[in-house]
Amino acid sequence: MSEVNRGSRVGGWTRFVTARPRLSLLAALMITALAVFAGSGVGDRMGSGGWEDPAASSTYATKALEREFPASQPNLLLLVDAGDKGVDEPAVTAEARRLTERLAAEDGVVGVGSYWQTRAPALRAEDGGEALIAARIVGTEKEAGETLERIAPEFRGTQGSLDVSVGGPVAVRHEMQAIIQEDLLRAELIALPVTLVLLVMVFGSAIAALLPLGIGIVAILGTNAVLRGITEITDVSVFAQNLTTALGLGLAVDYALFIVRRFREELAEGVEVRDAVGTTLRTAGRTVLFSALTVAVSLAAMMVFPQYFLRSFAYAGIAVVLLAAAAALILLPAALMLLGHRVNSLDLRRLFGKGRKKPTPGDGTADGTADGTSGGWGRTAALVMRRAPLFAVATATGLVLLGLPFLGVKFGTADDRQLPSSAEARVVQEDIRSGFPGSPGGGLEVLGEGGATAAEYADYRDRVAALPDVLRVDGPVVSGDHAYFTVLPRGEAVDQDTQRLVRELRAEPAAFDTSVTGTAAVLVDSKDAIGDRLPLAAGIIVVVTLLLVFLLTGSVLIPIQAVALNALSLTAMFGAVVWVFQDGHLSGFLGFTPTGDIETTLPVLMFCVAFGLSMDYGVFLISRIKEEYDRSGDHERSVIFGLQRTGGLITAAAVILAVVMVAIGTSRVTNTMMLGLGIALAVVMDAMVVRSLLVPAVMKLTGRATWWAPGPLRRFHDRFGVSEGGSHPAAVAGGTDSTGGSDGAVSGAGERDKVGV
């Protein structure tokens, strides 16, 4: 069946999206304007925590201590510098006590204590020049942040003869949130114009280049409105805004590139505008739909984890993917209907002395030809397939070697060192870390419940103090049937020895019920929660991806290849994360402080996002190969054709997404930098190595068996699957191709529009 005849079969979906194109665009404009209003201020309602498991023992202990002993859980620290006088001077003591009383009188502040009240050694610097006032700001993260904003200016700076700095976990979170929002705005200001320039270079036409950008802006603004609504019912991490921007622009560019490219191909072949839109939606549009579903599934898998940090990325990711796909499948066809051949207008290449060339069927690739099997990408595919064993082994080995550093990964928790070195909250924590005894802030609290005698408390304290990793035990502090002990570890706050100590404390017998909290305890529980649910998340991603790719291709082997090769494409990202961010290589160049570990949830997040994006590119390539195979029945030619027609497009999409992710990676917060740069590396490796070299090599090695499926699954695909275009008689009858093989696995399903697009 000819391309023109296929294009003339206008389906129901095409009629729906093109019947009233002006009305569709006007409605979209109004909805986007409402989204701007609905999503305003969303960043101020987000939190900067969410790494803990809400059902964990450490979370229970933390809440109980907050309720029964507010002073045991300070989240606000005032670092008081007495200068040359020393903190024990009478004048300094009097001034510091007045400062303590002022803080205790503030609304929303409880559990205020200071060195000058308790004379606790842990609250006094070893050199005697600084001491701490500790307190707890009560309320939600948002309420605590508002209280901090109100009181911090009253206490920061010179207070009589004292110099005061504001720190503590609440200050770290608040400053991190503010920096992320500032960095996100800067990233958008970098990414948007650079993306537009790259799109102009890809399309030549300024009109065509503006379409993906418009789709991306609609997706981002719509997702902000969705997140604003979600913050009314649950916690959402401020880090999710970075994913919204990155995926909103990146996926909108991917989808719009694919659709606009196919539309321009149809116009170049002489197809009428409406028929070109119909063919585009039936082929590229269907691919976009499947791609969006695979990306959404990868991101939805994070919903199985209890930490709201990870769940937030699922909320943002699912929303932005579906909105980008909806805009690409509804608004973009309407715009193309109105533009028609004007989609090629405003050729800005003339500014550089390059006039517009007449569009060809290979338009979008600099060296495209009429049959799509020669040119740069076609020659690359042909070369790879001639030396398939060499390219397959060399590429796979190289990717595995790049991932080897991940075998030495150490998991930790985010702390103040995520912030730039000049941030006040970090400066305070650094002073405490280096100048105060006993790892302040890294202590473990043991909550005792049920009541006990003084002798039973003393016996428990002595046994805990005898543990090899314990420096000192303070307490108990008793209130009714509750008590708590503060256990100071010998090691760092979250090192392996301190994590082992958490398990030892939980196993230590006592005459009363005990539960343990503290930074290391939260980390242990977070690692356990992720480890318990990781198989379920991975299973969801793999099973649903296998099903979706099977529905698209009708092959058993292609979905397995897709999952395996996508996972292999992520090795460079994980190796780089450890080599750079854990071990500290390039830390001076990138401007961050290595901590010797990786925050526990980050690899899970990066895997889900990068795997989804890899599937995005994989679906683009596979769908075009499948379309040609349905048409011709020639396996090897179809692989070459598919890479020729999509190689430049996938590379351009990957470069643009990498630019967006690198812009995100310029953040001054280390985790955001790691997320942006890591995923940028993953998408570039996937597009330029896996899709260009490994996929054609593997498909050559598997030959026509690539398209095999057992009879029951073939019949299932015939009924429920989809095809791209018409089938070649040889494919229907099990004809031969250039490899000399035969195939009975491909039915005439390609002749039928099984999805009414």
Side-chain angles (χ1 to χ4, degrees), residues 184 220 223 238-250 299 302 310 312-318 320 605 609-610 613 660-661 664 672 675 679:
L184 182 60
I220 292 170
T223 302
V238 68
F239 287 93
Q241 280 193 298
N242 295 290
L243 186 69
T244 297
T245 297
L247 288 187
L249 283 176
L299 297 171
M302 288 186 283
L310 287 175
S312 298
F313 285 93
Y315 305 146
I318 294 171
V320 76
L605 168 63
V609 174
L613 293 172
V660 176
M661 295 307 305
I664 297 293
T672 306
L675 177 67
I679 294 179

PDB file of all heavy atoms in Angstrom, residues 184 220 223 238-250 299 302 310 312-318 320 605 609-610 613 660-661 664 672 675 679:
ATOM      1  N   LEU A 184      16.897  26.805  39.846  1.00  0.00           N
ATOM      2  CA  LEU A 184      15.951  26.345  38.837  1.00  0.00           C
ATOM      3  C   LEU A 184      15.598  27.470  37.871  1.00  0.00           C
ATOM      4  O   LEU A 184      15.525  27.262  36.658  1.00  0.00           O
ATOM      5  CB  LEU A 184      14.689  25.808  39.506  1.00  0.00           C
ATOM      6  CG  LEU A 184      13.618  25.250  38.566  1.00  0.00           C
ATOM      7  CD1 LEU A 184      14.162  24.095  37.744  1.00  0.00           C
ATOM      8  CD2 LEU A 184      12.393  24.815  39.366  1.00  0.00           C
ATOM      9  N   ILE A 220       5.156  22.004  31.405  1.00  0.00           N
ATOM     10  CA  ILE A 220       5.744  22.467  32.667  1.00  0.00           C
ATOM     11  C   ILE A 220       4.721  23.231  33.497  1.00  0.00           C
ATOM     12  O   ILE A 220       4.549  22.973  34.705  1.00  0.00           O
ATOM     13  CB  ILE A 220       6.982  23.342  32.387  1.00  0.00           C
ATOM     14  CG1 ILE A 220       8.105  22.492  31.793  1.00  0.00           C
ATOM     15  CG2 ILE A 220       7.462  24.030  33.661  1.00  0.00           C
ATOM     16  CD1 ILE A 220       9.267  23.311  31.262  1.00  0.00           C
ATOM     17  N   THR A 223       2.076  20.891  34.863  1.00  0.00           N
ATOM     18  CA  THR A 223       2.569  20.053  35.957  1.00  0.00           C
ATOM     19  C   THR A 223       2.697  20.846  37.245  1.00  0.00           C
ATOM     20  O   THR A 223       2.411  20.328  38.334  1.00  0.00           O
ATOM     21  CB  THR A 223       3.926  19.435  35.573  1.00  0.00           C
ATOM     22  OG1 THR A 223       3.767  18.679  34.372  1.00  0.00           O
ATOM     23  CG2 THR A 223       4.436  18.525  36.671  1.00  0.00           C
ATOM     24  N   VAL A 238      10.759  19.685  47.001  1.00  0.00           N
ATOM     25  CA  VAL A 238      11.107  20.798  46.121  1.00  0.00           C
ATOM     26  C   VAL A 238      12.011  20.338  44.975  1.00  0.00           C
ATOM     27  O   VAL A 238      12.038  20.947  43.901  1.00  0.00           O
ATOM     28  CB  VAL A 238      11.787  21.922  46.930  1.00  0.00           C
ATOM     29  CG1 VAL A 238      13.160  21.490  47.426  1.00  0.00           C
ATOM     30  CG2 VAL A 238      11.894  23.200  46.120  1.00  0.00           C
ATOM     31  N   PHE A 239      12.736  19.226  45.174  1.00  0.00           N
ATOM     32  CA  PHE A 239      13.593  18.705  44.110  1.00  0.00           C
ATOM     33  C   PHE A 239      12.775  18.290  42.885  1.00  0.00           C
ATOM     34  O   PHE A 239      13.298  18.233  41.773  1.00  0.00           O
ATOM     35  CB  PHE A 239      14.390  17.502  44.612  1.00  0.00           C
ATOM     36  CG  PHE A 239      15.500  17.851  45.562  1.00  0.00           C
ATOM     37  CD1 PHE A 239      15.288  17.847  46.930  1.00  0.00           C
ATOM     38  CD2 PHE A 239      16.759  18.189  45.096  1.00  0.00           C
ATOM     39  CE1 PHE A 239      16.306  18.160  47.815  1.00  0.00           C
ATOM     40  CE2 PHE A 239      17.784  18.511  45.973  1.00  0.00           C
ATOM     41  CZ  PHE A 239      17.553  18.502  47.332  1.00  0.00           C
ATOM     42  N   ALA A 240      11.491  17.970  43.081  1.00  0.00           N
ATOM     43  CA  ALA A 240      10.662  17.509  41.966  1.00  0.00           C
ATOM     44  C   ALA A 240      10.486  18.593  40.910  1.00  0.00           C
ATOM     45  O   ALA A 240      10.207  18.282  39.744  1.00  0.00           O
ATOM     46  CB  ALA A 240       9.297  17.052  42.477  1.00  0.00           C
ATOM     47  N   GLN A 241      10.625  19.853  41.294  1.00  0.00           N
ATOM     48  CA  GLN A 241      10.506  20.921  40.304  1.00  0.00           C
ATOM     49  C   GLN A 241      11.595  20.821  39.237  1.00  0.00           C
ATOM     50  O   GLN A 241      11.370  21.167  38.078  1.00  0.00           O
ATOM     51  CB  GLN A 241      10.571  22.284  40.987  1.00  0.00           C
ATOM     52  CG  GLN A 241       9.256  22.724  41.626  1.00  0.00           C
ATOM     53  CD  GLN A 241       9.304  24.184  41.988  1.00  0.00           C
ATOM     54  OE1 GLN A 241      10.119  24.622  42.797  1.00  0.00           O
ATOM     55  NE2 GLN A 241       8.420  24.965  41.386  1.00  0.00           N
ATOM     56  N   ASN A 242      12.775  20.363  39.642  1.00  0.00           N
ATOM     57  CA  ASN A 242      13.851  20.201  38.662  1.00  0.00           C
ATOM     58  C   ASN A 242      13.479  19.163  37.619  1.00  0.00           C
ATOM     59  O   ASN A 242      13.733  19.338  36.420  1.00  0.00           O
ATOM     60  CB  ASN A 242      15.144  19.791  39.375  1.00  0.00           C
ATOM     61  CG  ASN A 242      15.659  20.870  40.294  1.00  0.00           C
ATOM     62  OD1 ASN A 242      16.132  21.901  39.862  1.00  0.00           O
ATOM     63  ND2 ASN A 242      15.553  20.638  41.595  1.00  0.00           N
ATOM     64  N   LEU A 243      12.872  18.058  38.059  1.00  0.00           N
ATOM     65  CA  LEU A 243      12.457  17.034  37.109  1.00  0.00           C
ATOM     66  C   LEU A 243      11.360  17.555  36.197  1.00  0.00           C
ATOM     67  O   LEU A 243      11.315  17.216  35.008  1.00  0.00           O
ATOM     68  CB  LEU A 243      11.969  15.796  37.864  1.00  0.00           C
ATOM     69  CG  LEU A 243      11.646  14.584  36.995  1.00  0.00           C
ATOM     70  CD1 LEU A 243      12.916  14.014  36.390  1.00  0.00           C
ATOM     71  CD2 LEU A 243      10.910  13.522  37.789  1.00  0.00           C
ATOM     72  N   THR A 244      10.471  18.377  36.743  1.00  0.00           N
ATOM     73  CA  THR A 244       9.400  18.945  35.918  1.00  0.00           C
ATOM     74  C   THR A 244       9.973  19.750  34.762  1.00  0.00           C
ATOM     75  O   THR A 244       9.555  19.599  33.607  1.00  0.00           O
ATOM     76  CB  THR A 244       8.492  19.831  36.787  1.00  0.00           C
ATOM     77  OG1 THR A 244       7.871  19.031  37.791  1.00  0.00           O
ATOM     78  CG2 THR A 244       7.425  20.511  35.943  1.00  0.00           C
ATOM     79  N   THR A 245      10.929  20.601  35.054  1.00  0.00           N
ATOM     80  CA  THR A 245      11.541  21.413  34.005  1.00  0.00           C
ATOM     81  C   THR A 245      12.289  20.555  32.992  1.00  0.00           C
ATOM     82  O   THR A 245      12.136  20.706  31.772  1.00  0.00           O
ATOM     83  CB  THR A 245      12.502  22.439  34.624  1.00  0.00           C
ATOM     84  OG1 THR A 245      11.758  23.335  35.452  1.00  0.00           O
ATOM     85  CG2 THR A 245      13.230  23.236  33.553  1.00  0.00           C
ATOM     86  N   ALA A 246      13.092  19.617  33.500  1.00  0.00           N
ATOM     87  CA  ALA A 246      13.914  18.806  32.613  1.00  0.00           C
ATOM     88  C   ALA A 246      13.065  17.922  31.704  1.00  0.00           C
ATOM     89  O   ALA A 246      13.248  17.905  30.483  1.00  0.00           O
ATOM     90  CB  ALA A 246      14.872  17.942  33.442  1.00  0.00           C
ATOM     91  N   LEU A 247      12.131  17.186  32.289  1.00  0.00           N
ATOM     92  CA  LEU A 247      11.309  16.297  31.475  1.00  0.00           C
ATOM     93  C   LEU A 247      10.310  17.080  30.631  1.00  0.00           C
ATOM     94  O   LEU A 247       9.985  16.667  29.509  1.00  0.00           O
ATOM     95  CB  LEU A 247      10.565  15.304  32.369  1.00  0.00           C
ATOM     96  CG  LEU A 247      11.404  14.207  33.022  1.00  0.00           C
ATOM     97  CD1 LEU A 247      10.505  13.214  33.743  1.00  0.00           C
ATOM     98  CD2 LEU A 247      12.254  13.481  31.991  1.00  0.00           C
ATOM     99  N   GLY A 248       9.796  18.185  31.162  1.00  0.00           N
ATOM    100  CA  GLY A 248       8.849  18.977  30.388  1.00  0.00           C
ATOM    101  C   GLY A 248       9.453  19.444  29.082  1.00  0.00           C
ATOM    102  O   GLY A 248       8.853  19.303  28.011  1.00  0.00           O
ATOM    103  N   LEU A 249      10.660  19.989  29.164  1.00  0.00           N
ATOM    104  CA  LEU A 249      11.343  20.430  27.937  1.00  0.00           C
ATOM    105  C   LEU A 249      11.845  19.245  27.122  1.00  0.00           C
ATOM    106  O   LEU A 249      11.661  19.183  25.910  1.00  0.00           O
ATOM    107  CB  LEU A 249      12.511  21.352  28.291  1.00  0.00           C
ATOM    108  CG  LEU A 249      12.163  22.791  28.669  1.00  0.00           C
ATOM    109  CD1 LEU A 249      13.423  23.543  29.081  1.00  0.00           C
ATOM    110  CD2 LEU A 249      11.487  23.504  27.519  1.00  0.00           C
ATOM    111  N   GLY A 250      12.492  18.300  27.806  1.00  0.00           N
ATOM    112  CA  GLY A 250      13.112  17.190  27.098  1.00  0.00           C
ATOM    113  C   GLY A 250      12.121  16.330  26.345  1.00  0.00           C
ATOM    114  O   GLY A 250      12.298  16.038  25.154  1.00  0.00           O
ATOM    115  N   LEU A 299       8.595   5.922  35.893  1.00  0.00           N
ATOM    116  CA  LEU A 299       8.506   6.907  36.971  1.00  0.00           C
ATOM    117  C   LEU A 299       7.475   6.499  38.019  1.00  0.00           C
ATOM    118  O   LEU A 299       7.663   6.740  39.217  1.00  0.00           O
ATOM    119  CB  LEU A 299       8.155   8.272  36.381  1.00  0.00           C
ATOM    120  CG  LEU A 299       9.209   8.843  35.427  1.00  0.00           C
ATOM    121  CD1 LEU A 299       8.682  10.083  34.728  1.00  0.00           C
ATOM    122  CD2 LEU A 299      10.491   9.171  36.173  1.00  0.00           C
ATOM    123  N   MET A 302       8.304   4.518  41.310  1.00  0.00           N
ATOM    124  CA  MET A 302       8.774   5.145  42.551  1.00  0.00           C
ATOM    125  C   MET A 302       7.657   5.305  43.571  1.00  0.00           C
ATOM    126  O   MET A 302       7.912   5.603  44.747  1.00  0.00           O
ATOM    127  CB  MET A 302       9.423   6.499  42.238  1.00  0.00           C
ATOM    128  CG  MET A 302      10.777   6.374  41.564  1.00  0.00           C
ATOM    129  SD  MET A 302      11.628   7.961  41.344  1.00  0.00           S
ATOM    130  CE  MET A 302      10.726   8.623  39.935  1.00  0.00           C
ATOM    131  N   LEU A 310      11.043  10.300  46.944  1.00  0.00           N
ATOM    132  CA  LEU A 310      10.898   9.514  45.724  1.00  0.00           C
ATOM    133  C   LEU A 310       9.492   9.612  45.151  1.00  0.00           C
ATOM    134  O   LEU A 310       9.303   9.730  43.941  1.00  0.00           O
ATOM    135  CB  LEU A 310      11.249   8.050  46.000  1.00  0.00           C
ATOM    136  CG  LEU A 310      12.736   7.738  46.206  1.00  0.00           C
ATOM    137  CD1 LEU A 310      12.932   6.286  46.593  1.00  0.00           C
ATOM    138  CD2 LEU A 310      13.539   8.060  44.953  1.00  0.00           C
ATOM    139  N   SER A 312       7.515  12.024  45.264  1.00  0.00           N
ATOM    140  CA  SER A 312       7.332  13.338  44.640  1.00  0.00           C
ATOM    141  C   SER A 312       7.749  13.322  43.181  1.00  0.00           C
ATOM    142  O   SER A 312       7.111  13.951  42.326  1.00  0.00           O
ATOM    143  CB  SER A 312       8.143  14.400  45.395  1.00  0.00           C
ATOM    144  OG  SER A 312       7.711  14.512  46.724  1.00  0.00           O
ATOM    145  N   PHE A 313       8.831  12.605  42.890  1.00  0.00           N
ATOM    146  CA  PHE A 313       9.276  12.525  41.500  1.00  0.00           C
ATOM    147  C   PHE A 313       8.302  11.714  40.658  1.00  0.00           C
ATOM    148  O   PHE A 313       8.170  11.950  39.449  1.00  0.00           O
ATOM    149  CB  PHE A 313      10.676  11.918  41.433  1.00  0.00           C
ATOM    150  CG  PHE A 313      11.744  12.873  41.869  1.00  0.00           C
ATOM    151  CD1 PHE A 313      12.183  12.908  43.177  1.00  0.00           C
ATOM    152  CD2 PHE A 313      12.307  13.765  40.971  1.00  0.00           C
ATOM    153  CE1 PHE A 313      13.156  13.795  43.588  1.00  0.00           C
ATOM    154  CE2 PHE A 313      13.286  14.658  41.366  1.00  0.00           C
ATOM    155  CZ  PHE A 313      13.708  14.682  42.681  1.00  0.00           C
ATOM    156  N   ALA A 314       7.632  10.750  41.282  1.00  0.00           N
ATOM    157  CA  ALA A 314       6.584  10.024  40.550  1.00  0.00           C
ATOM    158  C   ALA A 314       5.425  10.954  40.227  1.00  0.00           C
ATOM    159  O   ALA A 314       4.926  10.972  39.097  1.00  0.00           O
ATOM    160  CB  ALA A 314       6.110   8.830  41.372  1.00  0.00           C
ATOM    161  N   TYR A 315       4.987  11.757  41.213  1.00  0.00           N
ATOM    162  CA  TYR A 315       3.899  12.713  40.961  1.00  0.00           C
ATOM    163  C   TYR A 315       4.260  13.642  39.796  1.00  0.00           C
ATOM    164  O   TYR A 315       3.495  13.809  38.845  1.00  0.00           O
ATOM    165  CB  TYR A 315       3.619  13.580  42.192  1.00  0.00           C
ATOM    166  CG  TYR A 315       3.328  12.851  43.470  1.00  0.00           C
ATOM    167  CD1 TYR A 315       3.739  13.381  44.700  1.00  0.00           C
ATOM    168  CD2 TYR A 315       2.650  11.640  43.483  1.00  0.00           C
ATOM    169  CE1 TYR A 315       3.479  12.736  45.893  1.00  0.00           C
ATOM    170  CE2 TYR A 315       2.398  10.980  44.683  1.00  0.00           C
ATOM    171  CZ  TYR A 315       2.816  11.531  45.884  1.00  0.00           C
ATOM    172  OH  TYR A 315       2.566  10.895  47.062  1.00  0.00           O
ATOM    173  N   ALA A 316       5.437  14.258  39.918  1.00  0.00           N
ATOM    174  CA  ALA A 316       5.848  15.234  38.905  1.00  0.00           C
ATOM    175  C   ALA A 316       6.087  14.566  37.561  1.00  0.00           C
ATOM    176  O   ALA A 316       5.679  15.075  36.514  1.00  0.00           O
ATOM    177  CB  ALA A 316       7.110  15.967  39.367  1.00  0.00           C
ATOM    178  N   GLY A 317       6.764  13.416  37.582  1.00  0.00           N
ATOM    179  CA  GLY A 317       7.121  12.758  36.334  1.00  0.00           C
ATOM    180  C   GLY A 317       5.918  12.267  35.555  1.00  0.00           C
ATOM    181  O   GLY A 317       5.814  12.480  34.342  1.00  0.00           O
ATOM    182  N   ILE A 318       4.990  11.606  36.244  1.00  0.00           N
ATOM    183  CA  ILE A 318       3.795  11.103  35.555  1.00  0.00           C
ATOM    184  C   ILE A 318       3.012  12.264  34.961  1.00  0.00           C
ATOM    185  O   ILE A 318       2.553  12.209  33.812  1.00  0.00           O
ATOM    186  CB  ILE A 318       2.924  10.288  36.531  1.00  0.00           C
ATOM    187  CG1 ILE A 318       3.647   9.013  36.959  1.00  0.00           C
ATOM    188  CG2 ILE A 318       1.586   9.936  35.893  1.00  0.00           C
ATOM    189  CD1 ILE A 318       2.964   8.264  38.076  1.00  0.00           C
ATOM    190  N   VAL A 320       4.016  15.340  34.093  1.00  0.00           N
ATOM    191  CA  VAL A 320       4.662  16.046  32.991  1.00  0.00           C
ATOM    192  C   VAL A 320       4.739  15.169  31.739  1.00  0.00           C
ATOM    193  O   VAL A 320       4.598  15.662  30.610  1.00  0.00           O
ATOM    194  CB  VAL A 320       6.062  16.552  33.406  1.00  0.00           C
ATOM    195  CG1 VAL A 320       7.093  15.441  33.437  1.00  0.00           C
ATOM    196  CG2 VAL A 320       6.529  17.670  32.486  1.00  0.00           C
ATOM    197  N   LEU A 605      16.150   6.985  42.040  1.00  0.00           N
ATOM    198  CA  LEU A 605      15.556   8.048  41.234  1.00  0.00           C
ATOM    199  C   LEU A 605      16.214   8.120  39.856  1.00  0.00           C
ATOM    200  O   LEU A 605      15.524   8.178  38.825  1.00  0.00           O
ATOM    201  CB  LEU A 605      15.713   9.383  41.963  1.00  0.00           C
ATOM    202  CG  LEU A 605      15.414  10.641  41.152  1.00  0.00           C
ATOM    203  CD1 LEU A 605      13.964  10.666  40.709  1.00  0.00           C
ATOM    204  CD2 LEU A 605      15.758  11.886  41.964  1.00  0.00           C
ATOM    205  N   VAL A 609      14.332   7.468  36.134  1.00  0.00           N
ATOM    206  CA  VAL A 609      14.263   8.539  35.137  1.00  0.00           C
ATOM    207  C   VAL A 609      15.057   8.167  33.886  1.00  0.00           C
ATOM    208  O   VAL A 609      14.558   8.264  32.753  1.00  0.00           O
ATOM    209  CB  VAL A 609      14.777   9.863  35.728  1.00  0.00           C
ATOM    210  CG1 VAL A 609      14.841  10.942  34.645  1.00  0.00           C
ATOM    211  CG2 VAL A 609      13.879  10.325  36.872  1.00  0.00           C
ATOM    212  N   ALA A 610      16.307   7.729  34.072  1.00  0.00           N
ATOM    213  CA  ALA A 610      17.155   7.429  32.916  1.00  0.00           C
ATOM    214  C   ALA A 610      16.644   6.218  32.148  1.00  0.00           C
ATOM    215  O   ALA A 610      16.709   6.190  30.912  1.00  0.00           O
ATOM    216  CB  ALA A 610      18.598   7.203  33.378  1.00  0.00           C
ATOM    217  N   LEU A 613      13.771   7.404  29.992  1.00  0.00           N
ATOM    218  CA  LEU A 613      14.227   8.173  28.840  1.00  0.00           C
ATOM    219  C   LEU A 613      14.900   7.281  27.798  1.00  0.00           C
ATOM    220  O   LEU A 613      14.753   7.503  26.585  1.00  0.00           O
ATOM    221  CB  LEU A 613      15.187   9.274  29.298  1.00  0.00           C
ATOM    222  CG  LEU A 613      14.555  10.372  30.152  1.00  0.00           C
ATOM    223  CD1 LEU A 613      15.631  11.296  30.707  1.00  0.00           C
ATOM    224  CD2 LEU A 613      13.539  11.164  29.347  1.00  0.00           C
ATOM    225  N   VAL A 660      19.436  20.549  28.683  1.00  0.00           N
ATOM    226  CA  VAL A 660      18.519  20.889  29.769  1.00  0.00           C
ATOM    227  C   VAL A 660      19.018  20.300  31.083  1.00  0.00           C
ATOM    228  O   VAL A 660      19.034  20.975  32.121  1.00  0.00           O
ATOM    229  CB  VAL A 660      17.101  20.376  29.455  1.00  0.00           C
ATOM    230  CG1 VAL A 660      16.161  20.652  30.634  1.00  0.00           C
ATOM    231  CG2 VAL A 660      16.554  21.040  28.196  1.00  0.00           C
ATOM    232  N   MET A 661      19.451  19.038  31.055  1.00  0.00           N
ATOM    233  CA  MET A 661      19.917  18.392  32.283  1.00  0.00           C
ATOM    234  C   MET A 661      21.216  19.018  32.787  1.00  0.00           C
ATOM    235  O   MET A 661      21.415  19.143  33.999  1.00  0.00           O
ATOM    236  CB  MET A 661      20.120  16.895  32.047  1.00  0.00           C
ATOM    237  CG  MET A 661      18.854  16.108  31.727  1.00  0.00           C
ATOM    238  SD  MET A 661      17.486  16.316  32.906  1.00  0.00           S
ATOM    239  CE  MET A 661      18.247  15.898  34.459  1.00  0.00           C
ATOM    240  N   ILE A 664      20.283  22.048  34.607  1.00  0.00           N
ATOM    241  CA  ILE A 664      19.860  21.659  35.959  1.00  0.00           C
ATOM    242  C   ILE A 664      21.089  21.327  36.803  1.00  0.00           C
ATOM    243  O   ILE A 664      21.155  21.637  37.993  1.00  0.00           O
ATOM    244  CB  ILE A 664      18.920  20.443  35.895  1.00  0.00           C
ATOM    245  CG1 ILE A 664      17.633  20.790  35.125  1.00  0.00           C
ATOM    246  CG2 ILE A 664      18.588  19.931  37.295  1.00  0.00           C
ATOM    247  CD1 ILE A 664      16.747  21.788  35.791  1.00  0.00           C
ATOM    248  N   THR A 672      21.199  17.870  43.323  1.00  0.00           N
ATOM    249  CA  THR A 672      20.621  18.344  42.071  1.00  0.00           C
ATOM    250  C   THR A 672      21.672  18.329  40.969  1.00  0.00           C
ATOM    251  O   THR A 672      21.382  17.978  39.818  1.00  0.00           O
ATOM    252  CB  THR A 672      20.056  19.757  42.238  1.00  0.00           C
ATOM    253  OG1 THR A 672      19.144  19.769  43.339  1.00  0.00           O
ATOM    254  CG2 THR A 672      19.328  20.211  40.995  1.00  0.00           C
ATOM    255  N   LEU A 675      22.052  14.707  39.927  1.00  0.00           N
ATOM    256  CA  LEU A 675      20.900  14.282  39.137  1.00  0.00           C
ATOM    257  C   LEU A 675      21.005  14.800  37.702  1.00  0.00           C
ATOM    258  O   LEU A 675      20.850  14.042  36.733  1.00  0.00           O
ATOM    259  CB  LEU A 675      19.608  14.777  39.788  1.00  0.00           C
ATOM    260  CG  LEU A 675      18.307  14.489  39.050  1.00  0.00           C
ATOM    261  CD1 LEU A 675      18.023  12.997  39.033  1.00  0.00           C
ATOM    262  CD2 LEU A 675      17.147  15.242  39.708  1.00  0.00           C
ATOM    263  N   ILE A 679      22.096  12.168  34.575  1.00  0.00           N
ATOM    264  CA  ILE A 679      21.114  11.809  33.556  1.00  0.00           C
ATOM    265  C   ILE A 679      21.537  12.347  32.189  1.00  0.00           C
ATOM    266  O   ILE A 679      21.291  11.708  31.152  1.00  0.00           O
ATOM    267  CB  ILE A 679      19.722  12.310  33.966  1.00  0.00           C
ATOM    268  CG1 ILE A 679      19.267  11.543  35.215  1.00  0.00           C
ATOM    269  CG2 ILE A 679      18.715  12.135  32.835  1.00  0.00           C
ATOM    270  CD1 ILE A 679      17.924  11.958  35.748  1.00  0.00           C
TER     271      ILE A 679
END
